[in-house]
Amino acid sequence: MKYLLVLIGVVVMGLSIKSFLGADKTETPKYQNSDIQYQSGLSDIWSIAKSYMTTKRLHPVPEVDVPVKPMTAVSLTFSTEDEIFRLGHSTLLIRLDGEYILLDPVFSQRASPVQWAGPKRFHQSPINIEQLPPIKTVIISHDHYDHLDKAAVIALEDKVEHFVTPQKVGDHLIEWGIEPSKVTQLAWWDELTLGELTLVATPAQHFSGRGLFDRDATLWASWVIQGQQSKLFFSGDGGYFSGFKEIGERYGPFDLTMIETGAYNEMWSEIHMLPEQSLQAHIDLNGELFNQKAMLPIHNGTFDLALHDWFEPLERIVALGEKANVNVITPVFGEAISLKAPTVKSRWWREMLANEELVLQSQ
């Protein structure tokens, strides 16, 4: 069972095992990165699997409850200003110009092809799908299981006006029963206007696939989200690359960047940034104004998808931000963050660590 769990974890992270199972059975055209062509072979998979089985960690998962601020449909009516709520991992709810935007909605217990094995949530979402308000648009960054949750997509259909995805990712949604007229699929640099909202699919350095034979058959993307008063950047998943500067030159600076900071390792740093690179991406996107803008580190705190301790991404990015004078915000899940003044400084995991030590000492 341990080896099966390791294999599922590797697949979920997007470290494809296709390369030693044989060529794809289809001749579907493949998408590629702009800076590198990421490949993973048998030796890479073996090294990663071996590391998963042998690495010893003190805190792979929380020993005590992760703090969550519950949200309801009623609590969301207490304010009308532009706000963002972190629901988990890379799932975020944004209120922009009175409309709601939902990013990479994952509500299932496990980020996995199956719900009986694979990475399990550390905490519940602050709000369930039934309590969510009407959603103007759901934005999907790519088709990996920790970003595209089939059960959540199906449950959301009646609440959502538009689903916006990179090319071919929307085909999954349509196959699952989403009305095709509600799905828009964009290539890199394509723009979509929905009322006062402008969405831009921008490049990312990553890859795609939900099975053994569909590697890179769908596109991956980062996103520019622009309203009347606020402009945001959502990285999705990816390694550090020159594209961040180009995105910043075309669309920056941003009031808030939501940047992947978690599930990293030197073995796969080409497709998942290290914290130092995440901070540099924020700087690239905002140029000389980077220290006046806010960075929200995402892709952490909900699932165990790498070899670092569960809290390490938050601790490292906060230290880096303080050194570089960057406003790194780390809200409790469910906490409302004003987009006009995103200044939350809570370091909630540190109190958890003190409580974890008490729990461990009592065992």
Side-chain angles (χ1 to χ4, degrees):
M1 178 60 73
K2 179 178 179 180
Y3 295 95
L4 177 59
L5 295 179
V6 168
L7 180 59
I8 290 174
V10 170
V11 172
V12 169
M13 281 174 28
L15 300 167
S16 174
I17 62 174
K18 176 206 73 146
S19 55
F20 67 92
L21 289 175
D24 285 359
K25 292 181 178 180
T26 68
E27 296 183 359
T28 305
K30 301 298 180 183
Y31 291 96
Q32 296 183 354
N33 289 306
S34 58
D35 283 19
I36 66 163
Q37 185 174 356
Y38 178 69
Q39 298 289 340
S40 55
L42 177 58
S43 61
D44 300 310
I45 300 304
W46 169 242
S47 295
I48 292 167
K50 183 179 179 180
S51 294
Y52 264 87
M53 290 183 284
T54 60
T55 299
K56 297 184 183 300
R57 292 180 288 166
L58 292 177
H59 302 279
V61 300
E63 297 286 342
V64 297
D65 291 341
V66 174
V68 173
K69 185 173 183 179
M71 301 164 57
T72 65
V74 174
S75 70
L76 287 169
T77 66
F78 294 165
S79 173
T80 58
E81 70 170 301
D82 289 356
E83 291 180 326
I84 185 168
F85 306 82
R86 190 166 181 221
L87 306 186
H89 197 55
S90 297
T91 303
L92 301 113
L93 180 67
I94 303 169
R95 183 169 57 237
L96 198 60
D97 303 332
E99 302 281 9
Y100 284 96
I101 304 163
L102 187 58
L103 307 181
D104 281 359
V106 175
F107 289 84
S108 292
Q109 280 295 103
R110 297 181 186 270
S112 173
V114 295
Q115 286 302 296
W116 50 265
K120 188 177 180 180
R121 301 182 71 97
F122 300 159
H123 62 89
Q124 294 302 311
S125 173
I127 189 170
N128 59 37
I129 291 175
E130 292 72 22
Q131 284 287 313
L132 284 171
I135 306 295
K136 181 70 173 180
T137 183
V138 165
I139 299 174
I140 304 293
S141 64
H142 64 297
D143 70 0
H144 288 157
Y145 287 92
D146 56 328
H147 296 263
L148 179 57
D149 178 356
K150 177 180 178 180
V153 166
I154 293 170
L156 281 163
E157 180 178 19
D158 292 340
K159 286 183 174 285
V160 177
E161 287 187 31
H162 304 277
F163 292 86
V164 184
T165 77
Q167 286 182 336
K168 299 297 182 180
V169 176
D171 291 355
H172 290 304
L173 278 60
I174 294 169
E175 180 182 344
W176 299 338
I178 303 300
E179 172 59 42
S181 64
K182 296 174 68 171
V183 179
T184 301
Q185 307 190 56
L186 303 181
W188 288 345
W189 305 117
D190 282 352
E191 298 188 8
L192 174 67
T193 300
L194 298 174
E196 300 295 331
L197 179 68
T198 299
L199 306 178
V200 188
T202 44
Q205 184 168 286
H206 200 52
F207 67 104
S208 65
R210 290 174 71 83
L212 301 180
F213 303 104
D214 62 346
R215 171 72 179 265
D216 296 344
T218 65
L219 186 61
W220 48 95
S222 58
W223 293 88
V224 172
I225 304 166
Q226 184 167 358
Q228 292 178 293
Q229 303 297 324
S230 303
K231 190 183 340 179
L232 315 175
F233 176 79
F234 175 57
S235 73
D237 276 5
Y240 178 77
F241 75 129
S242 63
F244 290 118
K245 285 187 177 180
E246 184 175 3
I247 295 166
E249 289 168 357
R250 291 198 189 194
Y251 294 101
F254 299 92
D255 299 291
L256 178 74
T257 64
M258 298 160 277
I259 298 184
E260 178 199 62
T261 315
Y264 51 78
N265 190 283
E266 289 285 356
M267 289 185 289
W268 55 82
S269 60
E270 286 184 328
I271 45 93
H272 283 291
M273 289 180 282
L274 303 174
E276 293 80 4
Q277 296 170 319
S278 299
L279 186 75
Q280 187 61 51
H282 169 82
I283 293 171
D284 291 353
L285 289 160
N286 290 292
E288 295 180 358
L289 294 175
F290 75 89
N291 60 350
Q292 302 176 33
K293 303 298 180 179
M295 173 185 174
L296 173 60
I298 59 173
H299 207 254
N300 57 63
T302 301
F303 298 111
D304 179 22
L305 298 176
L307 297 171
H308 52 64
D309 287 334
W310 73 266
F311 60 86
E312 181 188 296
L314 295 166
E315 194 64 41
R316 282 181 64 176
I317 196 63
V318 163
L320 290 165
E322 290 173 351
K323 185 176 181 180
N325 194 29
V326 171
N327 180 20
V328 176
I329 60 173
T330 53
V332 170
F333 293 107
E335 182 176 2
I337 305 300
S338 169
L339 291 178
K340 292 182 180 178
T343 55
V344 171
K345 295 291 186 181
S346 65
R347 307 306 187 212
W348 50 268
W349 62 94
R350 292 178 179 171
E351 182 176 348
M352 285 183 62
L353 293 176
N355 291 334
E356 281 186 353
E357 292 303 325
L358 292 175
V359 170
L360 291 172
Q361 290 172 13
S362 67
Q363 292 178 347

